[in-house]
Amino acid sequence: MLGEGCEHTRIVLNHKNRNQIVMNTIKGLRDYDFDSIVCCGTSGLLVAPQVCEILNKEIVVVRKEHEKRYSPFVIEGILGTGFVFLDDLVCSGATLRYVIK
């Protein structure tokens, strides 16, 4: 059936929800000093590029090592002196720990 998937992913796939998420994220980040936004996974890549473009920040993509990918690199992008990690859902913290490692 079309439209199935994880609830949090379905939310960010809906363009109206995604636009609201982007605008709320921008509002929440405007007062912080950082150079890059780090994201991981499909849902991160649905939001992070728009946020980076509007805030004029660099983007860093961290892929999971076991993930099938076209690039041989696990990490791509420009990491500045300060960064923010942008994720779609905070559950266990496993993705953040992986990115930091």
Side-chain angles (χ1 to χ4, degrees), residues 81-98:
T81 55
F83 68 90
V84 171
F85 175 61
L86 191 64
D87 199 13
D88 64 328
L89 179 68
V90 177
C91 258
S92 66
T95 304
L96 179 58
R97 283 191 298 278
Y98 173 77

Side-chain angles (χ1 to χ4, degrees), residues 20-36:
Q20 190 61 52
I21 291 166
V22 167
M23 298 316 294
N24 289 341
T25 302
I26 290 165
K27 210 159 62 171
L29 292 176
R30 281 206 189 272
D31 295 332
Y32 292 93
D33 185 28
F34 62 96
D35 302 314
S36 306

Side-chain angles (χ1 to χ4, degrees), residues 1-6 10:
M1 176 179 196
L2 196 58
E4 291 185 16
C6 296
R10 283 197 333 248

